[in-house]
Amino acid sequence: MSEYRTPTVDQYIKAQKKWSKALVFIRQVLQDTVLEETIKWGRPVYTLNGKNVLGYAGFKNHFSIWFFQGVFLKDKAGLLINAQEGKTKAMRQMRFASFDEMNLNIIRTYIDEAIENHKMEKLVKKVEHPREKVVSNLLKTALQSDQVLQIAFDLLTPGRRREYHEYIVTAKQDKTKRRRIDKILPMILSGIGLNDQYRSK
């Protein structure tokens, strides 16, 4: 068991009141592995030999664990999703709506497999991804200049990402586009979609 306490991760967990139980739980699981704990993009990330293996974060409506090379996982429990179908090649994530959905043994199986895959250097080489059908250059620039914002945006569903791009593109004046950008950035960081309040629960 590798004993470690990363102050910035401690701070992140304390700030996430809604998901504190899940955060402490998954962190304890990871302490029994060879992975190293760090903070990247404002979220806890775990590495092996300097390479990203997985990360986790709490959002408004779900708790997410993502595997940077998750495409190679067998996914026997059917828990993995690709939040960017047609775009993301390697990353896969799990989403839980509540702590009660999290199964220690199953999650640990996925983590162990991800570690073994990284030891065998199974990885997808980074390539240029096709652009969204509708792309706001203003939003794209904002994402490229903020890694925390970028990863939060990447964890949204394709439909929610498209809605944000369209929301900016459809504004006729530049000042309106910039006003809309200011409005949506906190929403993206919170892991919610532009029109979530209108969707049936």
Side-chain angles (χ1 to χ4, degrees), residues 63-199:
F63 181 84
S64 177
I65 303 171
W66 60 89
F67 298 86
F68 288 91
Q69 298 295 329
V71 67
F72 296 109
L73 295 172
K74 296 183 179 70
D75 193 22
K76 292 181 179 179
L79 293 176
L80 299 179
I81 63 172
N82 183 348
Q84 301 183 81
E85 290 291 347
K87 183 177 180 182
T88 296
K89 303 298 182 183
M91 186 182 287
R92 297 293 183 271
Q93 62 173 291
M94 298 174 177
R95 287 185 178 181
F96 304 98
S98 69
F99 174 76
D100 293 337
E101 294 181 4
M102 301 177 71
N103 183 293
L104 168 62
N105 293 328
I106 292 176
I107 292 173
R108 180 58 189 265
T109 298
Y110 279 75
I111 291 172
D112 289 343
E113 185 183 354
I115 292 171
E116 289 306 309
N117 286 345
H118 273 257
K119 287 180 179 179
M120 292 186 288
E121 298 186 350
K122 288 186 177 181
L123 58 90
V124 174
K125 293 183 179 180
K126 196 169 184 178
V127 296
E128 289 297 321
H129 300 303
R131 297 175 66 183
E132 301 277 355
K133 290 182 179 179
V134 177
V135 176
S136 161
N137 289 328
L138 192 61
L139 177 54
K140 185 178 178 181
T141 299
L143 294 171
Q144 291 174 339
S145 63
D146 188 331
Q147 289 182 320
V148 175
L149 183 67
Q150 180 69 67
I151 196 168
F153 189 76
D154 288 347
L155 289 171
L156 294 172
T157 62
R160 287 178 171 85
R161 292 195 306 276
R162 185 170 56 253
E163 286 174 352
Y164 278 126
H165 276 291
E166 291 176 347
Y167 182 61
I168 305 303
V169 169
T170 53
K172 295 182 179 179
Q173 298 182 8
D174 287 342
K175 64 179 182 180
T176 304
K177 291 181 179 182
R178 295 188 181 281
R179 187 165 60 245
R180 289 184 177 186
I181 282 285
D182 291 340
K183 172 186 174 181
I184 67 173
L185 296 189
M187 297 172 68
I188 293 172
L189 289 170
S190 296
I192 61 177
L194 179 66
N195 300 310
D196 281 2
Q197 60 180 319
Y198 304 113
R199 292 185 172 93

